[in-house]
Each structure stands twice: as C-alpha cells, then as structure tokens.
Amino acid sequence: MSAVTAAPRSEAAPDPGHGPIAGAPPIITTVSFFAVLLALALEQLKPLPRDNAIHRALARWVGFAVRNFDAGQPHHSWVVWSVSVLLPAAAVGGAYLAISQFSLLLALAFDVLLLYLTLGFRQFSHYFTDIRDALERGDEHEARRLLAQWRHLDTSELPRTEVLRHVIEHALLAAHRHVFGVFFWFVALSALGLGPMGAVLYRMAEFCSRRFGHRHGALDAPANEALLALARRLFALIDHVPARLTAFGFAVVGNFEDAVAGWRRDAELWRQPNEGIILAAAAGAVGVQLGGAAPPGVGPDRRLPSGSDAEAGSAEALGSTGGAPPQQGHLHSVVGLVWRSVVLWLLLVALLTLANVVG
C-alpha cells in the first residue's frame, strides 16, 4: 500500500528545473551580471545623443503627472511622485516578470535595453571630456561655456582653479548617479527577480528630484514646494546606501586612509549628506581639494545656504577639504578612480555570481 501511495507523490512532485524562473536564482544572477557588461559595452560603442527622444519622453511624462495630479496641496505631492516614479518602475518590473517566464534570452535583452537607457558614463561624460580638452588647449572661455551649458548656470566669473574644482565635483556626482547608484539598485532588485525595475526606480527618482526644481516652463506647469521637497527627500532616502557604497569603493581603489579621514572630517561641508560623503571620500582618495566658496548654485549644495554667513565669506561656513588645489592632472586621476571603482564592483558581483552558480 505504501508503495502504491509513494508513486503518485513522485509523479506529482514539481520539477525544480521547469520554466526559466523556477529553481534558477543562479541563472537570473548570471543574466544580470552579463546584462551590466553588455549594457556598458553598448553604451561605450553607441552612446545616446545629448538631446535624445527618451529624455524628452521622460520630461513629457513628468510634466503630464504635474499638470494632471498636482493641485498645489501637500498630499498631492505623493500622488505626483508615485505616478512619475513608482508607476514606470512597477510597469518595468511587471514586464520583466512576464518576459522572463517566456524566455531568458528575451529577459537578458530587456535587461540590456533598460540598462542602456539608464546606466552609463556617456550620458554625461561628453561634457567632462569637452571641458578637459578645452582646458588642455588653454581655452578657458570655452571650458566655462561648456560648464555653464552642463549645469545651466552662469560660470563666467570662475577662475581656472574653480572651473576645475566644479568640473571634478559634478563629474563625481554624475558618475555616481548615472553608474553606481543605478548599478546598486539594478543588482539589488534583480536578485529578487525584478530585473531592471531597480534601475528605472533610481533614475526616475533622481530625474524627478532635479526636474521638479525647474521652474520656468521646464515642466509646462509650476511645481509646488511640497512636491520638490518630497522628491528630494525620497531620492536622498533611495540614494542613502548607494552613496556610501560609492564612497567606500573610492576609498578602496584610491588612498584608503585619506579617503576615510576625509569622509569622517569633511562630509558635512555639504548640505546634502549623500553628496558630501561621496565628494569628501573622493577628495581624499585622489588628494584634491574640493568644496569651498562658490557663487550661489554653481557647485553642489554647501553646508549652509546663501545667507549672512556665506555672503560674509565665513571660513567656518564654507570650508574646503584637504589636498592640493585642483590641477589639470586631477581630471585624469578622477577618471581613473571612477573606472577602478567600476571594475571593483563588477568583480564583486562576478564573484557573487560564481558563488551562486557553484553553490
């Protein structure tokens, strides 16, 4: 009797290898790893143009959310942010789940496509490269013009050292937001089987934190202060762990002791904690002086807003990190720092992937 009852159990037992998802977390992890490699390679070979259709579509989507869901009340801010950020991320996650049930190859292609649109150096590095080339030619006027175009600010009065300082700061923050932050959230949610949902979540949150601050026609509708504050607060929360991992990576591949010391000592020079941690650690890692006085809005937010102390030039209000004043060679040092950090995190994910496959 027991033999008769045992047979149906073995026949009814689920096949752990059936379907592309069931029983295959190592395969999903491997797909995610190769998706990052392929997306980075594709982005280097064929970068998106500066004014691309995807960016315009995102701007229209955010403008639609503001026009239709923001009535100026504080509680409407949550609705606008959810429509702008959570809805696209959830749609991507749902699409990935459906595609991965059908084919792992299609899931890989979907991963690569979304990562190509959200992750990569070339989405910002053209400005950095053009400014570096202009400075190497001695054309400081062109370098200031490009920096102003990049940041949409007046930089005509900045001396050469300050141009270098702000180019380095903005390049470091752009590298974090376009590469390391996207990479972290992609890997984190891919491990849960959600594919590129994390990459879209991070990029949309970052995009909205900037876009809601554009006042004059950028959204085709005014954004209220509560919406702007909410978007920045939620992005700071989403960026909390990635920012610290980026700073840690800079410390590992750079001057570790000086990077950690700068992190602990100088991070509070900036009002935004995540920015301060990244910039202070990077300054120590390559031995460059960052922070300090700047025209309002030109650099990343300082510890104190423009006010009596800042306008008076208080050294306590607006200090600098340790290190040498920015020089041309520091631009190359920063590029090397970022690339070494990318290799570090790729190797770490590769090791984790190998451990999952072997295990």
Side-chain angles (χ1 to χ4, degrees):
M1 187 68 179
S2 60
V4 174
T5 57
R9 286 184 191 143
S10 61
E11 291 174 2
D15 181 4
H18 180 70
I21 288 296
I27 296 178
I28 297 173
T29 306
T30 305
V31 168
S32 301
F33 171 70
F34 282 107
V36 173
L37 287 181
L38 291 173
L40 286 174
L42 180 61
E43 200 257 349
Q44 290 294 313
L45 294 173
K46 184 66 175 178
L48 288 172
R50 296 185 184 183
D51 184 22
N52 58 79
I54 300 300
H55 184 275
R56 294 193 296 271
L58 292 181
R60 288 195 295 269
W61 172 255
V62 173
F64 165 81
V66 171
R67 288 192 303 272
N68 290 276
F69 298 100
D70 182 18
Q73 299 300 317
H75 64 275
H76 294 147
S77 303
W78 284 96
V79 178
V80 175
W81 191 88
S82 298
V83 171
S84 301
V85 178
L86 295 183
L87 188 58
V92 167
Y96 179 82
L97 289 175
I99 293 172
S100 60
Q101 291 291 336
F102 177 72
S103 169
L104 278 178
L105 287 178
L106 287 179
L108 173 61
F110 189 67
D111 270 342
V112 172
L113 174 62
L114 269 295
L115 284 174
Y116 173 72
L117 299 176
T118 57
L119 179 147
F121 292 99
R122 302 295 289 274
Q123 296 184 24
F124 71 92
S125 63
H126 44 264
Y127 281 113
F128 179 86
T129 302
D130 291 346
I131 293 171
R132 183 185 62 189
D133 293 343
L135 290 173
E136 289 178 349
R137 296 193 307 268
D139 191 349
E140 296 182 15
H141 174 76
E142 177 66 7
R144 293 190 191 93
R145 186 191 69 80
L146 290 168
L147 180 58
Q149 186 180 21
W150 185 10
R151 303 305 306 166
H152 307 288
L153 297 164
D154 180 14
T155 60
S156 58
E157 301 300 323
L158 287 179
R160 179 185 177 89
T161 301
E162 288 298 300
V163 170
L164 285 166
R165 184 202 305 266
H166 296 303
V167 168
I168 291 171
E169 290 183 350
H170 290 304
L172 287 167
L173 293 178
H176 166 70
R177 291 167 181 167
H178 287 268
V179 180
F180 299 112
V182 176
F183 183 83
F184 168 82
W185 276 103
F186 170 72
V187 171
L189 293 194
S190 286
L192 301 178
L194 296 174
M197 178 179 176
V200 174
L201 172 69
Y202 182 88
R203 290 297 293 132
M204 289 303 301
E206 189 275 334
F207 181 80
C208 289
S209 72
R210 290 183 291 109
R211 195 72 181 177
F212 290 154
H214 293 184
R215 298 296 183 174
H216 304 293
L219 290 171
D220 299 324
N224 64 48
E225 291 293 337
L227 176 58
L228 177 60
L230 175 68
R232 290 178 174 175
R233 186 170 71 252
L234 291 177
F235 175 66
L237 181 64
I238 291 171
D239 201 33
H240 182 86
V241 174
R244 284 148 183 82
L245 289 177
T246 297
F248 178 74
F250 288 161
V252 170
V253 300
N255 187 320
F256 185 83
E257 292 184 0
D258 288 349
V260 173
W263 181 341
R264 298 178 61 182
R265 182 186 63 242
D266 300 325
E268 293 185 357
L269 292 176
W270 288 269
R271 277 188 291 155
Q272 301 297 329
N274 294 337
E275 289 183 356
I277 288 170
I278 294 168
L279 295 175
V286 299
V288 64
Q289 187 181 81
L290 299 179
V298 172
D301 288 340
R302 306 304 181 207
R303 181 164 58 87
L304 296 179
S306 302
S308 58
D309 290 338
E311 292 172 357
S314 170
E316 296 181 356
L318 294 171
S320 299
T321 66
Q327 302 295 329
Q328 188 76 31
H330 286 125
L331 297 180
H332 299 280
S333 298
V334 167
V335 172
L337 180 78
V338 171
W339 273 112
R340 291 195 303 273
S341 189
V342 169
V343 172
L344 171 70
W345 292 117
L346 283 175
L347 285 176
L348 179 60
V349 173
L351 291 174
L352 293 175
T353 301
L354 181 61
N356 280 333
V357 172
V358 173

